[in-house]
Amino acid sequence: MPRPPEYCDLFTYRKRSVVPENVQELARELGVSFQRKKVSAELVSAFRSALQNLPAESVPRGASEIREIAQMNMGYGFREPSGVGSRFLQALGLNRENGDTLLREHPDLGWLLMFHGSGYVRQAAMEALTTSPSCPFEVAAVVYRLNDWVGNVRIASKTYAREFLVTARAEAISESAFFLLPQMNFLRRWDDQALSVLQDSIYRTEVLDEMRKHLLAPRGGKVGQTLRLILQRADFDIHLEKLALDAWLPTVRAIAVETLLMGQARWFVGYRREWVNKVYGITRRVAEFETRNVEIDFGVEEVLGAAARDKSSLVRRIAADFLISKREHLTAEMVELSDVLRNDKSSAVRSRIGFLDRSITSA
């Protein structure tokens, strides 16, 4: 998971925080206003606007920090009080506003209260929201509520996601997908329906178009891992040829070339233990991958030629591997490319072509 930027912590015992100073100040002010039952629309709007610049990877740590900064670690005390005294006040028209009333008047207050320490409040916050997530941080926050440890919060979040997550801005979904796709293997509390809602949101055509733009450009983090994970479904296959030819990152070009030429997408799913010595109880951890056949029309010679002449040896090795796999049916163009790779500056590429030559000679 990429490391989110850190800022000075203004309100808690921590020295550093993933929440920017202006968001900390607004969260504290809005949290105190909520406790005093005096919330203004301007303050709620300002808090949500401040969230726009937070990255999605800030959610796991930022959720607990926002909860402490806004002083939301308190007990229940949220629902409308009941009893003779309460009914008497209501009859006189003197009943003061409570959390439910504030959420009805300011639904966007839910973007703060979804981090509350009480599951009752988080549930009410998710039920009150009436707008789609507008930034990567909000998208990731909703997904983490889908994995909330309280069942009723998960149900409320799933109801919200079915209506609003699937209609969120493509830019917000695509940016958050670089964080959320690897996290899918670690979120254990949500069910298949919640996972399906997230996948339907990510695999929208406009979202995949945005992800292609991100993958074509320079970018930090484990971008190759994200590309492999997005290839779990065939929806993104149409963009592979463009990535193989024009992506800025060698890792992205290599994965796109490998998927196209080998006709198979491969992605990491976890680890398993493999015996080394059963007598002494020695095992080792081995990565596990799943695969999917890729069947798409593309210019094989163009992609192979570009890969063989790529400036990165990582991509050229894949071209050499493809020539080895086709050693019994080499075309004139493939033979020409093998001559180019035979004198490659990378020993890994030269050794592959050497194996190709020996295989052809022995045959």
Side-chain angles (χ1 to χ4, degrees), residues 234-241 259-261 263 292-300:
D235 306 60
F236 196 76
D237 291 354
I238 59 175
H239 301 297
L240 285 173
E241 185 172 3
T259 303
L260 288 172
L261 294 181
R292 174 182 65 83
N293 291 332
V294 175
E295 299 177 359
I296 185 174
D297 294 330
F298 68 98
V300 178

Side-chain angles (χ1 to χ4, degrees), residues 48-86:
R48 191 177 183 193
S49 297
L51 296 177
Q52 304 302 305
N53 296 325
L54 269 70
E57 54 265 24
S58 295
V59 167
R61 180 175 156 189
S64 61
E65 293 181 359
I66 290 176
R67 180 165 59 249
E68 293 184 17
I69 291 169
Q71 298 179 335
M72 297 189 299
N73 277 323
M74 302 179 180
Y76 175 38
F78 175 76
R79 296 293 185 180
E80 186 77 40
S82 59
V84 176
S86 175

Side-chain angles (χ1 to χ4, degrees), residues 2-8 16-20 53-58 61 65:
R3 187 181 181 89
E6 293 188 342
Y7 309 88
C8 180
R16 306 294 294 173
S17 171
V18 296
V19 182
N53 296 325
L54 269 70
E57 54 265 24
S58 295
R61 180 175 156 189
E65 293 181 359

Side-chain angles (χ1 to χ4, degrees), residues 282-300:
I282 301 174
T283 63
R284 64 179 178 180
R285 192 173 70 162
V286 179
E288 283 192 309
F289 295 87
E290 287 188 4
T291 60
R292 174 182 65 83
N293 291 332
V294 175
E295 299 177 359
I296 185 174
D297 294 330
F298 68 98
V300 178

